[in-house]
Amino acid sequence: MVGKIDLLSQGEANVTDFTLLGDGAGNFSVDNQGVIKVANASALDYEQVHYFALQAIANNKIGDSSPVNVTINLNNADENSTATATAQLGNIANAEVKIYKIIEDNSTKTLLYTETTSSGDTLDTIGKFNAHLDILDDDTFYLYYVKGGKDFDSDDDGIKDANFTTNKGVIRAIAKGIDIKQAGDNFRVTAVSELLYERVHRYLIANFDKNSFENSLEQEAKKVLTNATIYDILTFNPVNDKASLSKIYKDKYTKTINFIHQGKIPLLNFSAKLGSYNTTGNAEGVTLSSDGKKAYVADYDNGLVVIDISDPTNPTKLGSYNTAGYAEGVTLSSDGKKAYVADYYNGLVVIDISDPTNPTKLGSYNTAGYAEGVTLSSDGSKAYVADYGNDLVVIDIGLLNEQKRN
């Protein structure tokens, strides 16, 4: 708050709003209580202008008051002495910092300041920037955006690296002015504040409501750090505080830092997807070996495909057998040596998979309909086929296995 316009008398009707007039009036806002706040902090430069001589008019339904003089004096802040915040993956030198005010009506951002993080000989002097805490309104949200720079503690061991790591990515922090000011000199923009920002970003771009957004911010913070408050997020020190990370983020924290260094979105590091393999057909069904190391895929027009899944992050093909029909479903014998494939218009196909790198056909049975699924009895003696157009078909596996390969 810059100041407040006091009323001597409101007359017969309450004041509905105030208007500021004069050169530089657009740098300030005034509410219907007469409270004056900074609206455009980037335009306030003591080196250029020491004060603003303005006029204020009170408005109500009857009309406007006579103008009164309002003088707003600027303080000469030492910009080098107010570098209270830190950009820290490790400590990042020479990064671009942008400070935005979030406009409540439509969640758009207004740029207030652009800064550059400090360089230095020790970690204590690297990564500092002026957070401009003195201009923050308590109840307004602000976004701190840090891009690029040189990371001098990429492993977060608290020791300055001999060689810096180039940061190609972005880290952000978003919070209300009162929370940022409470963090004070301990305010840090980190990978943790970036993870929280990514979790709440969707609430910023659709139907933004300040109270609802604050609740979402508090709830999502607890998912990043165990039982965290916003203060904990804003003061997170990666050298000392990694133990407070929730398990999923703790397990992948180092990879998260690498993602940011590479210019990638760190939240993508936490996808539920572990890996994949393109079977080239259209996978319709799958079953696993008893040891869980192989996947048998009914791959429609590509038949049966056997995939090594011992490393789920990097599945690789072992072998395949192209059936004559469209492989829709698959199940295995109890000993894991035979695969039974529901092969659509080609009925049930039995495949020898004792050598998973070279599956071969043992036999088949034309079900007359369109085989779409198959399961075996507990003793493995019978196959039950879901045969579209022909209902359920039960097949004697013993007799089928006696057929010659063809």
Side-chain angles (χ1 to χ4, degrees):
M1 185 177 78
V2 174
K4 187 175 186 300
I5 302 169
D6 292 324
L7 292 173
L8 296 177
S9 172
Q10 295 196 64
E12 297 179 1
N14 292 333
V15 171
T16 55
D17 57 73
F18 290 84
T19 302
L20 290 176
L21 303 173
D23 188 18
N27 299 328
F28 304 93
S29 66
V30 56
D31 64 18
N32 60 7
Q33 301 299 313
V35 175
I36 301 174
K37 296 183 179 180
V38 174
N40 183 12
S42 61
L44 306 181
D45 186 349
Y46 181 84
E47 303 300 327
Q48 301 295 323
V49 180
H50 291 8
Y51 66 93
F52 290 88
L54 307 177
Q55 290 187 315
I57 295 175
N59 317 111
N60 63 21
K61 65 181 182 180
I62 296 175
D64 300 337
S65 71
S66 299
V68 296
N69 294 326
V70 174
T71 301
I72 299 176
N73 295 303
L74 301 186
N75 293 322
N76 183 18
D78 183 352
E79 295 182 358
N80 292 322
S81 68
T82 55
T84 57
T86 307
Q88 190 172 358
L89 285 170
N91 298 53
I92 308 173
N94 306 124
E96 177 187 35
V97 181
K98 292 183 178 180
I99 304 171
Y100 294 95
K101 178 180 180 180
I102 305 299
I103 306 302
E104 183 177 358
D105 289 346
N106 53 13
S107 76
T108 56
K109 304 189 297 290
T110 297
L111 179 63
L112 301 180
Y113 290 101
T114 299
E115 301 286 345
T116 302
T117 60
S118 62
S119 56
D121 296 326
T122 65
L123 291 182
D124 289 341
T125 59
I126 296 173
K128 305 297 182 180
F129 66 92
N130 186 349
H132 295 278
L133 304 184
D134 55 318
I135 62 93
L136 303 185
D137 294 329
D138 287 354
D139 204 38
T140 298
F141 282 96
Y142 296 88
L143 172 65
Y144 287 75
Y145 173 101
V146 179
K147 181 179 181 181
K150 303 173 181 178
D151 189 342
F152 280 92
D153 186 18
S154 60
D155 57 358
D156 291 316
D157 63 356
I159 301 172
K160 184 183 177 185
D161 297 340
N163 299 301
F164 66 80
T165 299
T166 299
N167 175 40
K168 299 178 180 179
V170 170
I171 50 177
R172 289 160 287 199
I174 189 167
K176 290 175 71 172
I178 190 170
D179 295 317
I180 299 169
K181 287 189 284 189
Q182 285 176 350
D185 289 343
N186 293 317
F187 173 37
R188 291 177 172 85
V189 183
T190 64
V192 162
S193 66
E194 170 64 17
L195 288 169
L196 178 58
Y197 174 81
E198 292 179 15
R199 293 188 68 96
V200 301
H201 177 253
R202 64 186 185 274
Y203 303 118
L204 269 176
I205 60 178
N207 301 319
F208 178 74
D209 174 79
K210 184 165 62 177
N211 293 329
S212 177
F213 182 74
E214 183 175 13
N215 290 334
S216 298
L217 201 63
E218 292 172 350
Q219 293 302 313
E220 296 295 336
K222 293 178 172 61
K223 298 176 183 177
V224 178
L225 297 180
T226 304
N227 297 320
T229 63
I230 300 303
Y231 179 86
D232 296 325
I233 296 288
L234 298 179
T235 60
F236 178 84
N237 185 336
V239 175
N240 302 319
D241 299 336
K242 287 193 286 289
S244 64
L245 286 160
S246 59
K247 186 178 187 307
I248 184 174
Y249 294 116
K250 186 186 302 181
D251 292 345
K252 293 189 175 183
Y253 187 77
T254 299
K255 190 174 180 180
T256 298
I257 299 299
N258 293 336
F259 261 52
I260 297 172
H261 283 157
Q262 296 165 25
K264 298 178 181 179
I265 299 173
L267 202 60
L268 296 180
N269 183 33
F270 301 94
S271 169
K273 178 179 177 180
L274 293 175
S276 64
Y277 179 83
N278 189 342
T279 57
T280 73
N282 295 292
E284 298 279 350
V286 62
T287 191
L288 302 184
S289 60
S290 58
D291 62 4
K293 294 183 178 180
K294 292 181 288 293
Y296 297 83
V297 179
D299 202 33
Y300 200 61
D301 55 352
N302 193 38
L304 178 71
V305 180
V306 186
I307 301 173
D308 181 347
I309 56 170
S310 54
D311 178 2
T313 66
N314 184 35
T316 56
K317 180 179 176 180
L318 290 172
S320 63
Y321 180 83
N322 196 343
T323 57
Y326 298 131
E328 295 265 2
V330 60
T331 191
L332 304 183
S333 59
S334 59
D335 61 6
K337 294 182 178 181
K338 293 183 283 294
Y340 297 84
V341 177
D343 203 32
Y344 205 55
Y345 63 79
N346 191 40
L348 180 68
V349 179
V350 186
I351 300 173
D352 183 348
I353 54 171
S354 55
D355 178 1
T357 65
N358 185 35
T360 55
K361 181 179 176 180
L362 287 173
S364 63
Y365 181 86
N366 194 329
T367 55
Y370 298 95
E372 294 191 334
V374 59
T375 190
L376 301 183
S377 59
S378 59
D379 62 2
S381 64
K382 293 179 284 295
Y384 296 84
V385 179
D387 199 39
Y388 181 75
N390 192 36
D391 301 322
L392 178 67
V393 177
V394 184
I395 300 171
D396 187 329
I397 295 297
L399 291 176
L400 188 61
N401 287 340
E402 292 177 2
Q403 294 184 22
K404 294 181 179 180
R405 297 178 184 178
N406 49 53

